[in-house]
Amino acid sequence: MLIPVRRIITCTNHQGRSSVLSDGPATNIIGGLTELWTTAEAPHDHASNTDLGARSNSLEPSTSGTVFRFFQISPEASSAHLSPEEKSKAWSDLFASMNAAHVQPDTRRDPGMHKSATTDYIILLQGAITLVLDDDEVDMKPFDIVIQRGTNHSWVNRGEVDALLMAVLVAPFLPRVDIVV
């Protein structure tokens, strides 16, 4: 069960003063990710009262955009009863449910391996997690941070409690092309 995340969204009210637009649990969950907020290409629209966290429907942010999310990973022991084929299918199905079936180019090292073109800022908040890379593994403890730079990776929880993480994914900037006629 996913831990609920309280999300407070600010706005500028009709009098031009800062205030709270929304205060409550984030409810947009995709494939085990609690979507908190997204942005599109800059400049960002701070005048809109649209819940941009509710619009997220993919592992990856939109072109030149960002996504801010909370996620948790259960201990590896919780899936020990699955065969390697079942684990592989479960991961494949999970990525497909996040509109990201294309991000698994090489899963030889771990069935959860995935790679996108984003730069990701990830912080472990609670528990323990191992960052699995093609050639390395790094054990992390709370408040360790990963700057994930478009590399093939996976997260494995070899601990006894869920690992809780926060992440900001930044899509590559695509330069704007102005056509002069």
Side-chain angles (χ1 to χ4, degrees), residues 11-73:
C11 68
T12 302
N13 65 23
H14 297 297
Q15 292 80 33
R17 301 191 44 83
S18 59
S19 62
V20 173
L21 174 66
S22 173
D23 182 349
T27 57
N28 185 19
I29 311 294
I30 59 167
L33 307 171
T34 302
E35 302 300 278
L36 301 172
W37 199 252
T38 64
T39 60
E41 183 177 350
H44 302 149
D45 179 7
H46 293 176
S48 170
N49 289 336
T50 302
D51 182 348
L52 297 179
R55 286 190 168 181
S56 181
N57 67 355
S58 177
L59 175 73
E60 300 169 293
S62 63
T63 302
S64 299
T66 68
V67 63
F68 177 43
R69 64 175 45 120
F70 171 85
F71 64 105
Q72 65 190 73
I73 299 175

Side-chain angles (χ1 to χ4, degrees), residues 124-139:
L124 176 63
L125 301 174
Q126 177 181 307
I129 198 79
T130 299
L131 170 63
V132 178
L133 302 166
D134 291 331
D135 291 334
D136 294 299
E137 288 191 8
V138 180
D139 293 328

